[in-house]
Amino acid sequence: VQLQASGGGFVQAGGSLRLSCAASGRTFSSYVMAWFRLAPGTDREFVAVISELGRNQYYSASVKGRFTISRDNAKNTVYLQMNSLKPEDTAVYYCAAGQLYLGLGDYSSSNRYASWGQGTQVTVSS
């Protein structure tokens, strides 16, 4: 599956952004979808994941309660609604697709995902 992320931008602290990730192909609903982020000088960080039909979502502690992941399988698109943004949320955000069982608990490991989008920059000013 090929992924195309969009929706990044520049926002002040406390603001909101919604990222989108459009997927090609007819098997989108068979993939677990996730968002990761990469800030300068840090390792790639897991943000959120959603199951194939959208019934289960998991978040990193740093974004839980502020970010919401969702998907529309009819549109082959996954979203990341980001509210109450903080300067420390500044990063390049990547969407990823994988075929894994969320119950194993390893969904935060980037090597579980075979397909990645190109990334979209989010900058939050203080």
Side-chain angles (χ1 to χ4, degrees), residues 15-59:
S16 299
L17 282 174
R18 188 176 82 155
L19 306 183
S20 298
C21 176
S24 63
R26 293 176 288 180
T27 59
F28 178 71
S29 61
S30 69
Y31 288 90
V32 167
M33 298 298 298
W35 288 95
F36 287 76
R37 66 187 182 186
L38 182 63
T42 69
D43 294 328
R44 185 159 45 188
E45 177 190 8
F46 165 78
V47 175
V49 65
I50 188 166
S51 58
E52 296 90 332
L53 299 183
R55 293 172 181 165
N56 300 103
Q57 307 89 35
Y58 300 97
Y59 299 90

Side-chain angles (χ1 to χ4, degrees), residues 5 19 35-38 47 63 67 80 82 85 88-95 118-122:
L19 306 183
W35 288 95
F36 287 76
R37 66 187 182 186
L38 182 63
V47 175
V63 307
F67 291 11
L80 185 68
M82 305 185 295
L85 283 161
E88 51 264 43
D89 295 318
T90 295
V92 178
Y93 283 71
Y94 297 89
C95 56
Q118 85 289 1
T120 184
Q121 176 72 47
V122 172

